[in-house]
Amino acid sequence: GRILCMFDEPRSALPVRNLNMHSALTDLYRYLAQSISYSVIAAIAIFLLVKGWRSEDPRLRFRFYLLILVLPVVLPLLFNLSYPQRNALFFRDHLALLDTGRWLDIVLWKQVTLGHAALAIPGLTAALFLTQEAIPLIRRYTSRKRSLEPIMDGQFPVLDPALYEASRLMGRKAPPVALAPPEEHAMYVSGLTKPVLAISPGLLTSITPDELRAMLCHEIAHLSRSDHWTSWMLVVVRSLAFFNPVAWFISRLLWQENEKACDDMAVSATGDPASLASALVKATAGAKTVTGPIAPPKGRTNGRKEPLKTQAQEAHLADRVKRLVSRGGHRLDQWDSAKLWTTALLLAIILFFVV
């Protein structure tokens, strides 16, 4: 008889290996479909609830929008591990409210199904996430780590009294401050375990003492809310959902609501929304002046259209300024926590029957 070499493989192993790979790909495909469909259902439900309740508090809106980002990442895995029978034909035919597999199996043309066409959505979203978020985030983080230099007492006379007053108003010890690169023309919190408040020199010379105090209160509010930790946790969750276009949209809403929450905290401390609004406008205008205009494409001398990302940032700034000059902060209602947890529970129950 023939002696099997150590490199020989039983013939039955190849079909088993192919079957296992096909099963793994099927599970991955099912997870992608369920995660995106969960995001769509959760987004529709939560947007309708927030609008129906007329909730204007950015802290509450942040928590509700966070459900749209987190639940679609966690629930498909949790459901499949705890109750594998969800994938059986009986559950799909008799118990499921929505079977995404039936929709994805719809034939569009010859052997091309809706599922084949839908694969372009996570692929395109993943490419956009890599080029528009992941790579710029890594570059910005590494460049800031190299560029920040501590600001000594008395180095900027206008900063010391404003920082002391802002810390007193916010009821928090003054954070360490550092010098941001001059081309940024901004103020932000940098660092995770040892956060510092980075300020560009151009910003210090372009705003009034009241505006500086208001911006400092806003950034100290980020520290009080531990947003430097929250931001990185959101980055992790967003990275896990890199294929999900709904998660890409929601992550921007979360950032916007976070900024509005810190605006409210700063205004509550200073009682001066106008100074914060004017400081935001000056900081944005100064950043455009420092970075310079974008050269128009060849053959076009005027009427240049700004990138969509810039337009979205300017729309968000306009919305923040409008909030500041039109009304003050908002308090959480005593039933808001109950609304949040009830919504999360009901969504989990409904999504359990979406396969």
Side-chain angles (χ1 to χ4, degrees):
R2 179 174 175 269
I3 299 176
L4 287 175
C5 175
M6 62 180 296
F7 298 106
D8 288 339
E9 191 171 25
R11 293 182 179 180
S12 60
L14 290 178
V16 171
R17 178 179 298 177
N18 292 335
L19 182 62
N20 291 336
M21 181 174 295
H22 181 268
S23 177
L25 291 176
T26 302
D27 291 340
L28 176 61
Y29 182 72
R30 183 181 296 117
Y31 173 80
L32 296 178
Q34 289 184 359
S35 183
I36 295 176
S37 61
Y38 285 10
S39 296
V40 174
I41 295 172
I44 294 174
I46 287 178
F47 285 149
L48 290 176
L49 288 174
V50 169
K51 184 178 181 180
W53 289 328
R54 297 181 180 178
S55 176
E56 297 293 337
D57 193 303
R59 294 169 296 176
L60 179 63
R61 295 163 73 101
F62 179 90
R63 296 170 189 176
F64 272 101
Y65 294 159
L66 188 61
L67 293 178
I68 306 175
L69 184 64
V70 174
L71 291 183
V73 174
V74 177
L75 288 184
L77 296 174
L78 182 62
F79 290 159
N80 291 331
L81 290 175
S82 61
Y83 193 74
Q85 292 83 353
R86 288 176 70 251
N87 297 321
L89 289 177
F90 178 81
F91 190 95
R92 291 175 173 271
D93 292 338
H94 300 284
L95 298 177
L97 298 174
L98 175 65
D99 185 355
T100 56
R102 295 184 184 276
W103 288 89
L104 296 176
D105 289 339
I106 296 177
V107 178
L108 298 178
W109 181 71
K110 292 185 178 181
Q111 295 183 346
V112 179
T113 65
L114 182 61
H116 294 138
L119 284 175
I121 296 177
L124 179 61
T125 306
L128 290 173
F129 169 75
L130 182 65
T131 57
Q132 300 295 321
E133 294 187 23
I135 295 177
L137 179 65
I138 294 173
R139 288 177 177 174
R140 184 167 63 250
Y141 178 76
T142 54
S143 63
R144 283 179 175 178
K145 274 291 186 181
R146 294 193 302 266
S147 304
L148 297 183
E149 298 178 1
I151 297 178
M152 304 302 176
D153 293 339
Q155 185 175 350
F156 295 94
V158 69
L159 176 61
D160 295 336
L163 182 59
Y164 172 80
E165 180 66 12
S167 302
R168 184 187 66 82
L169 291 173
M170 298 298 294
R172 183 184 176 94
K173 181 181 177 181
V177 290
L179 200 61
E183 64 271 12
E184 291 191 343
H185 197 84
M187 181 187 302
Y188 54 85
V189 175
S190 179
L192 190 61
T193 57
K194 296 180 179 179
V196 298
L197 187 56
I199 310 172
S200 65
L203 182 64
L204 288 172
T205 58
S206 63
I207 58 179
T208 67
D210 288 341
E211 292 169 345
L212 177 59
R213 181 188 63 178
M215 289 196 72
L216 288 169
C217 286
H218 173 93
E219 296 304 327
I220 293 176
H222 279 299
L223 290 171
S224 299
R225 288 166 48 85
S226 299
D227 285 341
H228 50 294
W229 283 99
T230 304
S231 298
W232 279 105
M233 287 188 289
L234 289 177
V235 168
V236 172
V237 178
R238 175 67 188 92
S239 300
L240 293 175
F242 66 92
F243 56 88
N244 194 334
V246 180
W248 192 20
F249 172 71
I250 293 299
S251 63
R252 281 159 171 73
L253 284 184
L254 288 169
W255 171 75
Q256 293 174 5
E257 297 299 334
N258 208 14
E259 293 297 321
K260 293 176 183 178
C262 292
D263 287 345
D264 289 348
M265 292 180 64
V267 170
S268 178
T270 63
D272 186 8
S275 292
L276 180 56
S278 60
L280 293 174
V281 173
K282 289 182 180 180
T284 304
K288 287 185 176 181
T289 303
V290 170
T291 55
I294 301 175
K298 293 182 178 180
R300 182 183 297 179
T301 58
N302 52 23
R304 177 181 53 85
K305 189 175 181 179
E306 292 184 335
L308 291 176
K309 185 175 182 180
T310 303
Q311 295 181 27
Q313 291 172 345
E314 291 182 351
H316 171 59
L317 173 64
D319 185 38
R320 289 175 64 186
V321 171
K322 182 179 179 181
R323 288 183 75 255
L324 289 170
V325 300
S326 63
R327 59 185 182 273
H330 304 272
R331 294 183 178 180
L332 287 174
D333 186 82
Q334 60 178 344
W335 297 105
D336 285 340
S337 295
K339 292 177 182 177
L340 179 69
W341 289 107
T342 302
T343 301
L345 178 60
L346 291 177
L347 275 176
I349 294 174
I350 293 173
L351 295 177
F352 179 80
F353 293 95
V354 176
V355 295

